[in-house]
Amino acid sequence: MSSNIIDAIDQAIADTTVSLDAMRSVPGDADGIRVVVIPADEDEPITLRYLARDENGSTLRAMQATVGGYVDVVRTAEGVDVWINDEGLLMGLPFNERATAFVHAVKWALATCEWSGAVSLSLRDAMEEALVAQRYTRLVGPAIISGCNDEGETVSVPDVAVEFLQKMGLM
């Protein structure tokens, strides 16, 4: 990583305004979801946020407001999704080095069996995905890390993902 992203990570750690314990005390997923927001601007801190559900029970509008447009999902591991602006490349949004690093690190952790979450990939498949991610995955604009349940619904970010971000030194 470049020295400016390391400086940004240090600043993000110093500027984090909501603790993990505080986020665990928010209402359950029925009312909204806990997410991690990773701004593309390295000067902005990575934060834990609560996205409330709308009158239809959806967090889509809150997610769209956070990324600044339509959303698209990048599946990283079983139960962990990264949401980005679907038109971010077309809009010329800035490269999000920290979100991209998270995606690559999760793929690598799956490949090396260091991911403490549920692992659904064989070692060979995980290694292949990690190499493809390193070569082609470059996320732009703000990113949201959330969870995903067995039915494919977006739910609160799992603790394992937050802990992984902390181990990476991003939070």
Side-chain angles (χ1 to χ4, degrees):
M1 284 189 193
S2 62
S3 64
N4 61 348
I5 193 165
I6 292 170
D7 293 341
I9 291 167
D10 289 341
Q11 187 63 43
I13 292 168
D15 290 347
T16 299
T17 56
V18 181
S19 71
L20 182 57
D21 290 335
M23 287 306 295
R24 287 185 176 134
S25 67
V26 299
D29 279 359
D31 299 317
I33 60 173
R34 293 174 296 133
V35 298
V36 173
V37 178
I38 305 175
D41 183 345
E42 295 176 9
D43 293 331
E44 293 183 40
I46 295 173
T47 57
L48 291 161
R49 292 192 193 161
Y50 181 75
L51 300 181
R53 295 189 186 281
D54 63 19
E55 65 277 356
N56 298 318
S58 174
T59 57
L60 177 61
R61 289 186 199 153
M63 292 175 80
Q64 288 174 328
T66 303
V67 301
Y70 295 113
V71 294
D72 194 10
V73 67
V74 177
R75 301 280 159 140
T76 61
E78 185 177 310
V80 180
D81 291 337
V82 176
W83 296 88
I84 56 172
N85 185 310
D86 186 46
E87 298 175 330
L89 288 172
L90 297 172
M91 296 168 61
L93 295 180
F95 174 55
N96 190 328
E97 187 172 2
R98 297 177 294 178
T100 301
F102 173 77
V103 170
H104 293 179
V106 169
K107 296 290 187 184
W108 185 253
L110 284 169
T112 59
C113 300
E114 293 179 15
W115 177 257
S116 59
V119 177
S120 61
L121 298 175
S122 70
L123 180 59
R124 180 174 179 223
D125 290 343
M127 288 290 283
E128 185 176 307
E129 285 205 26
L131 292 172
V132 169
Q134 282 185 315
R135 200 173 297 141
Y136 300 110
T137 303
R138 293 181 54 87
L139 304 181
V140 297
I144 301 169
I145 301 174
S146 72
C148 177
N149 67 18
D150 292 337
E151 288 80 41
E153 298 169 325
T154 301
V155 296
S156 289
V157 61
D159 289 342
V160 66
V162 175
E163 290 163 7
F164 193 75
L165 280 163
Q166 290 169 333
K167 286 179 185 175
M168 289 178 66
L170 294 175
M171 289 191 78

